[in-house]
Amino acid sequence: MGILAAGLGGSAPNLRSFRLTLIEQLTQRLREAIAKIGAEGDPLVRAAHDEQFGDYQSNCAMGIAKKLGKNPREVAAAIVSNLCVDDLCEPAEIAGPGFVNLRLKPEYLSRRLAAIPPASEGSMDRLGIDPSGRPRIVVVDLSSPNLAKEMHVGHLRSTVIGDCVARILEFAGHTVHRENHVGDWGTQFGMLVAYLRRVKPEAVADADRLVIADLEAFYIEAKALFDADEDFKKESRDTVVALQGGDPATRRIWQAFCAESLRHCHAIYDRLGVRLEDRGESFYTDLMTDVVARLESTKRERPDDAFVSVSDGALCVFLEGFKTRDGAPLPLIVRKSDGGFNYATSDLATILHRVEQLHAKRIIYVVGLAQKQHFEMVFAAARQAGWVADDVSLEHLGFGNMLSTRGTPFKTREGGTIKLKDLLGEAVESARRVITNQEADEASRHRGLSGEEVERIAETVGLAAVKYFDLSHALGSDYKFELDRMVSMEGNTAPYMLYAYARICSIARMAGVDFRSLPACTILLEHPSEILLAKRMLQFAETLEVVSRELRPNVLTDYLYDLAKAFSRFYDKKLGVRVIDAAPESVRISRLRLCDLSARTLKLGLHLLGIETVEQM
Ligand code: ARG
């Protein structure tokens, strides 16, 4: 994926052509042809929608013709006659008003597949895809639950999407800081510390040994007391003051509480295979003072500018384009009239830290769409304050809600929040049922599995089902948590994908070969199903390129689904070719190689979604 990120048009393209993705390579050739006819314009190469018109299509002739005042088909013809793609494509064809259609040659696909190095033991299989030539420092702000309570279903999406995005950017060669911006500061913590003092005095004496089995219940009890008991309310408030004033005893209990709550979170992260660094809101307390001080000095420097002003006693930032419902300017409050800081102050502080201390060039906040306006305003404020250079991108990767099967907010029957660990447990349970209840011929494959192996597979498949289902939806839309669909073996689901992978592993077993030690061979692509499969595999790199740029995990799930379908077609007795019993040997080896490359592509693709594969299902 390196080259697109680094910009096309390198000075020695031929030396590095195999490092280009298919689409990059075609783009480059078209760019050369456009230059040869003395025109200017983006090559606009896209994958063709309909195979009938080839594999890729360039739509550049229309725009260029318009600029030159010429007939688009003539421009297309001029481009095509200057286009050198003999080594890659069949002769280009012109269609409709001036589309240039390109169909890749099987020999070219075959050469590219042959150039993929074998998987190396130990290190990650990259399938020959180079990291970006321009690595950057990236921050992904993900998960970020509130430590006062148990993680609930609302945190699933941020965790899973954030992890996927981080994995893909890491694979692309960037340095990624995975920031878990947990809520560990604020008035609730005064209440919780005060409650701990009352009900667990032993924790006060030995804070490091604090255990709270049910955080949610603990919070609910504390809150009930807070609402009912004036003395406790006062005690809680005094505790907040002591905490914020840095009183050592209070801080120690608060720290113990946060550590215990983080242990609950990390049990889930470990189970999900998600790595991240905890850096909670409390980390930013000094920086928040800094945020306000800097804004105040801006106010002094620009007294006539309404950018920073005091309104009703609160320090506010006014930004162009943000209005209240009645059309009045909408302020972003950075210091409340009581002198306290708020969510906006803390997120401005995250920007200062990430830009100035982590030196990040791309900062991605994976947070629900409900906070869209918050981030728009915070980003605009930071830019207007001059804290963020033009080469730094601030991105809110917003996502929709996970809803119940009825399309309502996802709650327990009593209206409470559903704990994330319960939900994961349910998914694993369903996966176990699906795995152990398959059709007779499938079941026969189970004979060799021990109870322990079934458990391990159920755990992998269940968690994969939840993640895959989440990632396969367009980020911005809501989706319903439908367990039956998630764990279904049919359709664009994790079990289908994992099964496709396991099936290829079983081909190796049936053929009595180890894919890793197949002899080097020419990859023969003759049958349409072989050609399609080869093309799909080679489109992996450009798919990752799109995902790393646009941060849309569903582009990767769609791709993997297409790949799995292409494999199914290839391996189908009627639509595809013989594999295990193919002859002569050169054909058999070539087809087994295609199996191996398909499996490796599926495995790597799933891994980048945060999903591990199993060899048997
Ligand atoms: N703790 C916040 C919440 O539960 C999410 C924080 C997201 N990250 C951020 N930098 N604002 O809504």
Side-chain angles (χ1 to χ4, degrees), residues 118-398:
S120 54
E121 253 354 280
S123 58
M124 184 198 232
D125 183 10
R126 299 192 59 96
L127 282 159
I129 301 172
D130 290 321
S132 166
R134 262 194 211 170
R136 299 201 292 173
I137 297 175
V138 180
V139 166
V140 178
D141 182 313
L142 76 165
S143 195
S144 307
N146 185 340
L147 295 189
K149 302 183 186 180
E150 192 79 41
M151 273 177 92
H152 58 81
V153 297
H155 301 113
L156 178 74
R157 299 211 70 189
S158 174
T159 307
V160 168
I161 296 164
D163 180 51
C164 170
V165 162
R167 282 170 186 253
I168 289 172
L169 293 170
E170 280 156 2
F171 183 77
H174 304 297
T175 300
V176 180
H177 294 276
R178 297 153 162 260
E179 297 277 312
N180 192 17
H181 185 73
V182 292
D184 60 358
W185 207 230
T187 49
Q188 294 156 320
F189 290 90
M191 173 184 89
L192 293 167
V193 169
Y195 193 64
L196 265 178
R197 280 206 175 106
R198 285 209 177 185
V199 298
K200 287 188 185 268
E202 74 284 1
V204 176
D206 188 0
D208 301 333
R209 303 252 305 269
L210 175 65
V211 175
I212 304 172
D214 190 335
L215 276 172
E216 198 67 28
F218 186 82
Y219 180 87
I220 292 169
E221 287 161 23
K223 183 73 170 61
L225 185 63
F226 183 88
D227 290 337
D229 182 334
E230 280 306 315
D231 289 342
F232 181 66
K233 203 176 260 180
K234 174 158 188 316
E235 218 173 293
S236 300
R237 296 217 172 102
D238 293 344
T239 309
V240 177
V241 175
L243 183 61
Q244 301 195 335
D247 171 58
T250 309
R251 278 193 87 97
R252 225 165 76 79
I253 307 172
W254 164 76
Q255 256 159 3
F257 179 86
C258 292
E260 169 64 354
S261 181
L262 279 170
R263 279 191 287 274
H264 285 240
C265 297
H266 279 270
I268 292 183
Y269 298 141
D270 289 348
R271 190 171 185 195
L272 290 173
V274 173
R275 226 175 2 88
L276 33 64
E277 284 159 59
D278 304 317
R279 201 194 311 269
E281 284 173 22
S282 62
F283 171 86
Y284 298 94
T285 44
D286 291 344
L287 269 173
M288 287 199 268
T289 311
D290 211 25
V291 162
V292 168
R294 290 198 203 190
L295 288 172
E296 281 187 317
S297 89
T298 306
K299 181 168 175 292
R300 279 193 299 276
E301 284 157 23
R302 310 190 218 159
D304 303 329
D305 187 341
F307 173 50
V308 185
S309 2
V310 175
S311 168
D312 292 333
L315 186 67
C316 300
V317 170
F318 286 93
L319 301 153
E320 220 164 294
F322 294 95
K323 299 265 185 288
T324 63
R325 249 184 231 137
D326 341 308
L330 176 70
L332 179 71
I333 298 175
V334 292
R335 190 185 56 214
K336 297 182 283 181
S337 51
D338 66 4
F341 299 149
N342 63 10
Y343 193 44
T345 331
S346 83
D347 263 327
L348 285 168
T350 63
I351 294 181
L352 280 186
H353 179 251
R354 291 164 187 185
V355 168
E356 296 180 0
Q357 294 178 45
L358 299 179
H359 306 291
K361 292 286 180 212
R362 186 174 191 187
I363 308 176
I364 301 161
Y365 292 81
V366 188
V367 185
L369 274 171
Q371 298 189 22
K372 186 169 187 281
Q373 191 178 57
H374 162 77
F375 285 107
E376 281 171 358
M377 293 185 84
V378 165
F379 293 169
R383 285 214 189 267
Q384 215 160 311
W387 301 346
V388 184
D390 289 344
D391 66 343
V392 175
S393 84
L394 299 173
E395 299 165 51
H396 171 212
L397 192 59

Side-chain angles (χ1 to χ4, degrees), residues 113 116-119 125 127 501 504-505 507-508 513-519 523 533 537 563 567 570 579 588-604:
L113 286 179
I116 296 176
D125 183 10
L127 282 159
Y501 177 80
I504 307 179
C505 296
I507 294 172
V513 298
D514 178 352
F515 283 150
R516 278 163 306 186
S517 45
L518 282 176
I523 294 180
L533 179 60
M537 288 195 275
L563 174 64
F567 185 82
F570 158 80
V579 176
R588 189 176 105 102
I589 301 290
S590 162
R591 291 183 182 160
L592 286 168
R593 241 295 75 98
L594 289 176
C595 292
D596 174 37
L597 289 167
S598 304
R600 286 169 60 193
T601 310
L602 285 174
K603 187 181 172 90
L604 177 56

